[in-house]
Amino acid sequence: MQPHLTVQRSSIKGDHRLHALLAGRLHDPFSFLGAHAEHEHWVVRAFHPHAASLWIDTGGGFESMTRVHPAGIFEWWGLIPPPPPYQLRIEEASFEAPARVYDTYDAYAFPPQVSEHDLYLFNEGRLHQAYRTLGSHLVEMEGVAGVRFSVWAPNAERVSVVGSFNRWDGRIHPMASHGQSGVWELFIPGVPTDSFYKYEIRNRDTGAILLKTDPYARHYEVRPGTAARTPSDSKMAWNDAQWMAQRAGWDWLATPLNIYEIHAGSWKRHADGSFYSYRELAAHVIPYVREMGYTHIELLPISEHPLDESWGYQTTGYFAATSRYGTSDDLKFFINACHQEGIGVILDWVPAHFPQDAFALARFDGSALYEHEDPRLGLHQDWGTHIFNYGRNEVKSFLLSSAHYWLSEFHLDGLRVDAVASMLYLDYSRLPDEWLPNRYGGRENLEAIDFLRELNIMVHQEFPGALTLAEESTAWPGVSRPTYVGGLGFSMKWNMGWMNDTLVYMRNDPVYRRFHHEQLTFGQLYAYSENFVLPFSHDEVVHGKGSLLGKMPGDAWQKFANLRLLFTYQMTYPGKKLNFMGNEFAQGREWNSSRELDWYQLADGWHQGVKMAVRDLNQLYSAVAALHQRDFEPEGFSWVDCHDADNSVISYLRFARNGSFALVVLNFTPVPRSRYRIGVPTAGSYQEIFNSDSRYYGGSDLGNLGSIRTTGQPSMERADSIVITLPPLAGLIFVHTDLPATTTDG
C-alpha cells in the first residue's frame, strides 16, 4: 500500500479555483478536482458537500481522505497516483443512523472525450449528427458505464449537470468547458437510465442562475414536468428493410401520394379521456388507413412540447418523441408497423419558431442564443414565439441534426416543414417599422433561405426517397424546384391558393356559384409551377372555421352532397392529396384537440356514405394511373370545358403516360342535367366508374349505367362526344374502356 501523506501538504488555501468552485464559477473543474501531480506528489481532490466522510481506492484497498474545507473538499496525497479509474466510498452526512454509504467512480477521473473534429463541424454549422455528440449518451469509459453529458452554452461562466442522482445540487457536477466552441462536457459514472436531469447555467455577464432542460435530450418526463431523462438502450428491432429499399428507388413524382393527417392525441381516446399510446395507435390507426386507401400518415408534431393546446407546434424537445404517448421505441414500433403494411409516415416538423418557456431554448445561457436579440428579428408576434437565428452556425447544426435524427433514427419517410412563409420573409406579419431589412435592403431572410436549401440537400442526399413538403402560402418562386436551378429544393409545396379558392367557392349558395366560376379554373394558370399537394388540413377546421361539412351550404342533403363533390374534385385534380382526420367521414363539428373524433356519427347513413365515397375515391386514385401519374405535368391535364359558368359545370381529362385517360365531370348545382353533351378525345365506349351521387354514398342515385357510346358529333372542340346524365351536386369519373385504366408500374 502506498504511503498516505499528511494533510498539511494541502495547498488549496488561497487557491482561486477553490473560491471559484465554491462560488459556482469554475469553468475548468478538471484543473482542480480529480488526480493531479503537485509538489512532486499526487493529490486526488474531491468535492462532495453532502458527505460526512470519503475514502479512495488506491489499488490496495480504500484509504481515508481528509476534509480540507468545511464546504466538503476532500483530499488524498500519495507518492504515486491511484490506478485509474479509481473509486470513492462516500458516507453521506445524515441525522439518522445508519448513514448511507456507497461506492462510485470519480467523475473527474474521466477526461472530456468530444473530438475537436466534431466541435469544428458543429461551430461551422456542418455537424448533421450533432445529436450523437451533444445531449446525454450511455457510454462506457475505461470499462466504466455511465452517461456523458454535453451542451452548448457559450455565454456561460459555469454549467453543471443537476438531477435526481445528485440532489439537483449545481455544486456537485460542474462541467468542463471546451473553450471557444462553447460546448461543455462531463461524464458521470453510474447514473441510472431514465434519471431526471437538467443543466444549471451561470451566465458570465450577469451571474444569473438558470435551470434548463437539455435541447438534445431524447426523452423527457411527462408534462407538466420539464426535466430531461437519461437515455436507455433501444430494444427496437426494425424489420422494414424491404420498405426502405423500395422507397429509395420510388418515383414519387408519378406515384400515388394520399396523406391522412393525424393528431395523435385526439384521433381516438380511452373512455376515461386518456391518450392512446403509440402502440395502441398502431393497432387501430393502421387497419383504418389501410381500409380507407391512404398511402401515408402525417403526424402533427409529436416532438416534445409542454402544452397540449399547441398541438405540438410549440416544440421544446427537437430530438424527443413526446412522452404523452410512450417512449421512442413505442413510436418506432408504430412506424415499423406502418411500413410493414405499406404505409409511409411523415412528420410535421417545426423549424420556424420555438416557445418562450423559461426552462427550454429561450435565452438558453442567459443570452439570445438560439434566437435573435432584436425582437424585430427574433420575435414572432402572431404566435408569441422566438424565431431561430438561422445565421448562427451552431443553430444550423442543431436544426439540421434534428431533421437528420428523425429521418435516421425513426425511419420516417418525410418531413412536412411548418410555416415556411414566416421563415422566408423578414417582414412576415409585421408593420413597416417592426422589421429589419437584409444586408441588401430587401425583405428576404437570406439566412433562412440558405438553411432551407441546406436542409433539402441533406435530406435528398442522405435519405433517398424521403420527402420534404413545404407549408408555404406565398408566391415565392421555385419552392419545389432543385437548389441547383435556384429553387429551395423541397419535394412538394402545399397548394394554399387552390385550397382557399376552392373552399371560398364551395361556401357560396349554388345559385351564386356561376358568378365565381373563375375560382375553379384559375388554378390551372399556375398548377405546374410547383409540385403541389392539395390540402384540406387541420388549419381549415379549427378556430371558428367550422368543419368541412359545416362550410357547405344548403340543407343537410345538400351539405353532404357538396362534401362528396368537393372530395371528388380534390381527388381528380392534378396534385398529391392530404386530408385531416375526421374530414373523411364528414365530422359535423370543428376539430377539438381535447377530445376524440365523433366516431359515433358513422352510425348515421350520410356520414357513413361520405366515408365510403372517400374510401372508393382513394382506391380509384391509386388504381387509375391517369389520376396520379402526371400530377406535376401539364400534359397530364386538359380542359374539356371550363366555360360553362351558367350551369356551374366543369369537365376535364387526366392522362397517364401510356395514353389512357379519365374523364371527370363536376356539377356544382343541385340541378340534375339530362342529355348533357361532353366532348371526348377518342371514339368508342365510356364507362362511369365513380358517381358521388350513388345511393351507396347517400345520394339520389342518378347517373349513367352501362357503356356509353360516342355519338360521332364534335363538341367542345373535341372530335367526338358522349351524352350523359349529370346528377345534382355530384362528380362523375369515366374511363375509355378500349384503353387500360390501371397501372402497376407506379
Side-chain angles (χ1 to χ4, degrees):
M1 182 180 296
Q2 56 186 297
H4 176 203
L5 304 184
T6 62
V7 297
Q8 279 75 17
R9 279 209 173 267
S10 176
S11 59
I12 64 170
K13 186 177 181 180
D15 192 320
H16 71 280
R17 296 171 302 175
L18 168 65
H19 300 296
L21 176 69
L22 297 180
R25 304 178 65 172
L26 184 60
H27 74 281
D28 185 15
F30 283 87
S31 69
F32 185 66
L33 302 174
H36 301 275
E38 294 184 9
H39 305 294
E40 300 179 355
H41 295 91
W42 283 88
V43 60
V44 176
R45 191 174 292 118
F47 179 39
H48 285 272
H50 303 293
S53 301
L54 252 67
W55 296 264
I56 183 171
D57 184 357
T58 61
F62 280 95
E63 294 186 15
S64 176
M65 299 182 72
T66 303
R67 181 188 292 270
V68 296
H69 192 284
I73 305 292
F74 294 83
E75 288 185 345
W76 172 91
W77 284 80
L79 294 175
I80 59 174
Y86 55 85
Q87 281 190 302
L88 302 176
R89 178 165 292 166
I90 302 171
E91 179 185 7
E92 291 188 342
S94 175
F95 294 107
E96 299 179 1
R100 177 173 176 250
V101 179
Y102 62 95
D103 295 346
T104 183
Y105 287 92
D106 185 4
Y108 298 95
F110 303 90
Q113 297 293 308
V114 174
S115 72
E116 290 297 322
H117 180 67
D118 280 359
L119 293 174
Y120 170 77
L121 291 177
F122 176 69
N123 292 141
E124 288 291 306
R126 295 191 286 118
L127 188 61
H128 295 171
Q129 299 182 46
Y131 55 89
R132 300 187 186 276
T133 300
L134 298 170
S136 62
H137 298 272
L138 295 177
V139 297
E140 189 174 287
M141 295 181 63
E142 300 184 49
V144 177
V147 179
R148 189 192 72 213
F149 298 89
S150 302
V151 65
W152 178 56
N155 296 303
E157 184 177 26
R158 182 264 306 170
V159 181
S160 296
V161 183
V162 296
S164 53
F165 44 84
N166 64 11
R167 304 192 185 191
W168 300 92
D169 190 332
R171 299 173 296 172
I172 296 177
H173 286 123
M175 305 175 77
S177 169
H178 278 285
Q180 292 184 347
S181 71
V183 173
W184 301 72
E185 180 189 353
L186 185 66
F187 170 77
I188 305 179
V191 174
T193 60
D194 288 324
S195 297
F196 294 161
Y197 76 96
K198 287 189 177 185
Y199 296 116
E200 185 178 280
I201 301 173
R202 180 187 177 100
N203 181 267
R204 67 184 177 191
D205 295 322
T206 66
I209 304 294
L210 310 167
L211 192 60
K212 292 287 189 174
T213 197
D214 188 351
Y216 287 86
R218 302 195 190 188
H219 192 45
Y220 295 86
E221 64 178 317
V222 179
R223 74 207 188 303
T226 58
R229 304 183 77 162
T230 55
S232 55
D233 287 325
S234 174
K235 297 178 174 60
M236 178 63 196
W238 291 96
N239 50 15
D240 64 345
Q242 182 178 358
W243 168 272
M244 298 297 284
Q246 290 175 344
R247 191 193 78 182
W250 76 315
D251 180 10
W252 54 266
L253 291 165
T255 301
L257 183 70
N258 189 4
I259 302 168
Y260 186 52
E261 188 186 33
I262 292 177
H263 176 253
S266 60
W267 187 75
K268 279 188 179 179
R269 289 195 177 186
H270 293 292
D272 63 359
S274 60
F275 297 130
Y276 274 30
S277 69
Y278 295 118
R279 291 176 183 265
E280 289 169 330
L281 285 169
H284 292 83
V285 169
I286 294 173
Y288 182 76
V289 168
R290 286 280 292 168
E291 174 201 349
M292 292 300 295
Y294 294 102
T295 66
H296 286 68
I297 291 169
E298 181 180 310
L299 296 170
L300 265 64
I302 45 80
S303 43
E304 194 59 86
H305 52 283
L307 186 66
D308 291 353
E309 289 77 11
S310 80
W311 315 329
Y313 287 99
Q314 296 209 5
T315 300
T316 52
Y318 277 80
F319 298 85
T322 177
S323 55
R324 287 167 174 78
Y325 316 125
T327 67
S328 293
D329 272 3
D330 294 334
L331 176 58
K332 292 174 183 177
F333 176 91
F334 173 86
I335 296 168
N336 187 64
C338 285
H339 287 174
Q340 289 182 305
E341 293 296 325
I343 299 167
V345 184
I346 297 167
L347 175 66
D348 207 336
W349 185 62
V350 191
H353 62 115
F354 60 92
Q356 299 187 50
D357 297 77
F359 71 86
L361 293 179
R363 301 195 69 84
F364 185 76
D365 62 0
S367 67
L369 193 59
Y370 289 87
E371 69 272 43
H372 294 270
E373 185 71 52
D374 194 321
R376 292 174 293 179
L377 294 170
L379 185 65
H380 199 298
Q381 297 170 325
D382 290 350
W383 302 322
T385 53
H386 290 299
I387 298 170
F388 281 104
N389 183 351
Y390 305 103
R392 190 157 198 169
N393 287 337
E394 296 85 356
V395 174
K396 193 182 297 183
S397 283
F398 173 79
L399 290 172
L400 292 174
S401 294
S402 173
H404 193 287
Y405 172 74
W406 290 109
L407 294 169
S408 174
E409 298 292 315
F410 289 84
H411 294 200
L412 283 162
D413 302 293
L415 300 173
R416 179 266 193 185
V417 182
D418 180 61
V420 171
S422 73
M423 299 171 66
L424 294 175
Y425 299 99
L426 295 166
D427 64 345
Y428 182 87
S429 194
R430 294 178 185 270
L431 297 174
D433 60 345
E434 294 176 345
W435 62 282
L436 295 177
N438 63 36
R439 60 182 177 272
Y440 302 113
R443 58 195 285 256
E444 300 81 10
N445 189 333
L446 303 178
E447 292 79 11
I449 295 166
D450 288 343
F451 161 72
L452 290 171
R453 286 174 172 157
E454 289 185 44
L455 166 71
N456 286 309
I457 290 171
M458 179 194 75
V459 171
H460 298 317
Q461 285 183 348
E462 299 193 32
F463 303 98
L467 303 173
T468 55
L469 298 88
E471 187 218 11
E472 205 286 312
S473 54
T474 73
W476 187 279
V479 172
S480 59
R481 295 295 178 256
T483 57
Y484 57 78
V485 297
L488 292 182
F490 284 94
S491 309
M492 283 168 266
K493 169 182 171 174
W494 279 20
N495 194 337
M496 310 297 280
W498 176 90
M499 179 273 297
N500 280 308
D501 284 349
T502 299
L503 292 183
V504 168
Y505 176 86
M506 294 300 294
R507 283 179 178 273
N508 289 310
D509 188 294
V511 73
Y512 301 116
R513 284 177 176 171
R514 66 193 184 96
F515 301 112
H516 304 278
H517 198 68
E518 74 284 352
Q519 289 175 320
L520 295 177
T521 60
F522 177 74
Q524 276 299 306
L525 296 178
Y526 62 86
Y528 312 102
S529 61
E530 301 278 3
N531 300 331
F532 279 123
V533 175
L534 310 180
F536 292 135
S537 75
H538 65 279
D539 280 330
E540 309 317 312
V541 293
V542 290
H543 300 320
K545 296 179 182 178
S547 65
L548 285 189
L549 182 67
K551 300 180 198 299
M552 302 298 107
D555 59 20
W557 188 93
Q558 291 193 36
K559 283 180 179 292
F560 282 92
N562 269 304
L563 191 56
R564 297 191 302 268
L565 171 60
L566 174 66
F567 288 137
T568 309
Y569 179 43
Q570 179 196 29
M571 297 305 295
T572 58
Y573 193 85
K576 306 309 181 185
K577 323 299 179 185
L578 179 142
N579 260 295
F580 185 56
M581 63 182 199
N583 290 349
E584 79 279 8
F585 65 83
Q587 175 161 290
R589 63 172 173 86
E590 74 174 25
W591 172 51
N592 182 345
S593 64
S594 65
R595 54 183 280 197
E596 74 170 18
L597 298 178
D598 293 340
W599 295 103
Y600 67 87
Q601 291 186 324
L602 285 172
D604 180 280
W606 280 345
H607 290 277
Q608 184 67 232
V610 172
K611 178 191 171 187
M612 293 175 65
V614 170
R615 179 200 62 190
D616 290 352
L617 281 166
N618 289 348
Q619 293 172 354
L620 280 174
Y621 165 70
S622 290
V624 178
L627 294 180
H628 65 252
Q629 204 173 66
R630 306 181 79 176
D631 273 329
F632 307 135
E633 305 170 23
E635 296 80 8
F637 177 93
S638 178
W639 287 114
V640 174
D641 186 9
C642 61
H643 301 297
D644 192 3
D646 287 341
N647 291 316
S648 295
V649 174
I650 59 172
S651 51
Y652 47 84
L653 297 164
R654 297 294 312 280
F655 292 94
R657 290 173 177 172
N658 66 359
S660 66
F661 60 89
L663 169 65
V664 181
V665 187
L666 307 172
N667 177 13
F668 289 91
T669 72
V671 179
R673 305 192 187 279
S674 60
R675 301 200 58 77
Y676 192 90
R677 187 175 296 276
I678 293 287
V680 293
T682 305
S685 297
Y686 287 77
Q687 182 78 39
E688 180 186 282
I689 62 171
F690 180 83
N691 180 349
S692 70
D693 191 49
S694 166
R695 68 178 182 274
Y696 296 108
Y697 308 143
S700 63
D701 211 31
L702 188 65
N704 304 270
L705 298 176
S707 294
I708 303 172
R709 296 291 301 178
T710 51
T711 65
Q713 179 177 335
S715 180
M716 301 174 177
E717 300 182 357
R718 302 282 176 180
D720 213 328
S721 62
I722 58 175
V723 176
I724 63 173
T725 297
L726 271 183
L729 293 173
L732 306 176
I733 305 174
F734 298 88
V735 293
H736 186 241
T737 55
D738 299 333
L739 287 173
T742 61
T743 182
T744 57
D745 63 5

